[in-house]
Amino acid sequence: APPPPPPVAPEPEPGRPAQPVAGDASGWSMNERLYNQVWGMFEDLARTVAAYRSAVDFADSRMEKELDQALADPAARSGPAADTARSAARARHHELVERARAVLDRDLAQLSAESQVVEPALPPEFARWDNPVWHGYRVPMETPMAVRLGDLSLPERADLRIPMLMRLPLERGLWIDAGRTSQAAALVAPDETRRLAGELATAVAGRLLAVYPVGDLTVHIIDAAGAHAAGYAPLTDSGLLGGPPARGASGVAELLAKLTQRVDLVQMAVRNRALDSLPPEIDTAEQLLVVHDFPHGFDDRAVTQLRYLADEGPAVGVHLMMVADREESSGYGPLLDPLWRSLLRISPVSDDHLADPWIGHAWTYEPPLVPAGSRILPQVLGQVADARRRYGR
């Protein structure tokens, strides 16, 4: 069936820009339209900031060239004529920069107005945890096309945050950096960074459980030393995990062996087009493995299995999320470099470490942490657990 027509914006007043409308992008459903609209906002922000920075760079280089020409003759480097030439060059530079800034401010104002309309209209999978839509949450019947993994902004307008939406199922694993590898993380105490990294893992895993249909996602946790047992309480208390968090080297080995076997069997079934012949004990739901405090509790065999899951798992529904300080695994040398490169690095504190592949901006990443004191995550997970009990999953 053809998609329903998108919302129509009211006619703007003469001389004023059109008022933005949530969901006016192309798509077969409202959620797909919102997804496309968010990506359009991201691309518009990237382009308008790139144009502004290019204009400023041009103005700078032009002023330098004009000043060099004015000062090329040593005999004319002083005096009223030289002062006039320098003042004229600086005036032209100021005019070009102000003109570029006016265009940037106009475009940013339009994007800000669009963001204020779009953000309240987002469904739970795209919304921040403080969005009221979570208070009307209902367990979904089908897997969404994407999930929100944070916010992105640029320094020209830090308060204009664009949702960072990632398609589902995840094509890459996630690495939550618990180290002090950036200036922003270096300003936070190490213990606080680790705590926030665990909170971010809980928030992301909880969001994924909330946006998948009942029984379509199984979450496993490796916390070999139990370092973040309290932080994972919303997940463990909900009863939604595939089993208790793995503890110690034996627990790590047992869980990794189980998931490795699943990957092997599903790969063979896919190659032979025999998915119906999988053993009944094989969980065919998507799997998410959360590894906390890597490499604690890992021996060489476990590290090899983890690399195998990172490489081969996503294609057959096994996804990886690691909470780790890369420096703590430096003893493995370059052996783990392919593992780190295969994962999408996100940080538990605001940090400008993400670069888009088109323009190369350094985007500031804002993690999707649950607001302090909020009970929305346990409330949502409680609804998911109730739905599982009703459906016997």
Side-chain angles (χ1 to χ4, degrees), residues 20-23 30-31 34 37-38 41 111-124 126-128 130-134 148 161 163:
V21 175
M30 187 61 172
N31 287 5
L34 289 169
Q37 187 171 12
V38 167
M41 293 165 59
L111 280 171
S112 180
E114 187 173 7
S115 177
Q116 293 174 11
V117 171
V118 170
E119 190 70 46
L122 295 177
F126 298 168
R128 290 197 294 261
D130 58 359
N131 192 312
V133 72
W134 283 105
R148 187 174 190 155
R161 299 187 299 175

Side-chain angles (χ1 to χ4, degrees), residues 61 115 128 173 214 226 276 309 353 357 365 379:
S61 62
S115 177
R128 290 197 294 261
V214 173
D276 293 340
L309 292 177
H353 70 278
Y365 171 78
Q379 174 185 323

Side-chain angles (χ1 to χ4, degrees), residues 277-296:
S277 64
L278 284 170
E281 65 271 15
I282 296 298
D283 185 1
T284 56
E286 298 280 318
Q287 309 286 307
L288 174 67
L289 173 61
V290 181
V291 179
H292 191 88
D293 238 359
F294 176 82
H296 190 89

Side-chain angles (χ1 to χ4, degrees), residues 368-392:
L369 294 170
V370 180
S374 173
R375 296 287 303 167
I376 191 63
L377 180 56
Q379 174 185 323
V380 168
L381 294 181
Q383 291 180 250
V384 177
D386 289 341
R388 282 197 178 184
R389 285 189 288 269
R390 288 198 305 270
Y391 289 103

Side-chain angles (χ1 to χ4, degrees), residues 82-94:
D83 293 341
T84 300
R86 284 193 288 266
S87 298
R90 294 190 181 98
R92 283 190 288 270
H93 174 270
H94 179 75

Side-chain angles (χ1 to χ4, degrees), residues 338-368:
L339 171 65
W340 300 116
R341 286 195 298 267
S342 70
L343 303 174
L344 173 64
R345 175 178 172 258
I346 57 179
S347 58
V349 296
S350 298
D351 188 20
D352 58 348
H353 70 278
L354 286 177
D356 65 75
W358 308 282
I359 298 177
H361 290 320
W363 293 83
T364 298
Y365 171 78
E366 183 78 22

Side-chain angles (χ1 to χ4, degrees), residues 151-171:
D151 293 328
L152 299 172
S153 63
L154 292 172
E156 281 77 4
R157 184 68 182 272
D159 63 328
L160 177 56
R161 299 187 299 175
I162 307 297
M164 177 180 168
L165 304 181
M166 300 296 292
R167 294 298 293 261
L168 291 178
L170 297 174
E171 296 181 356

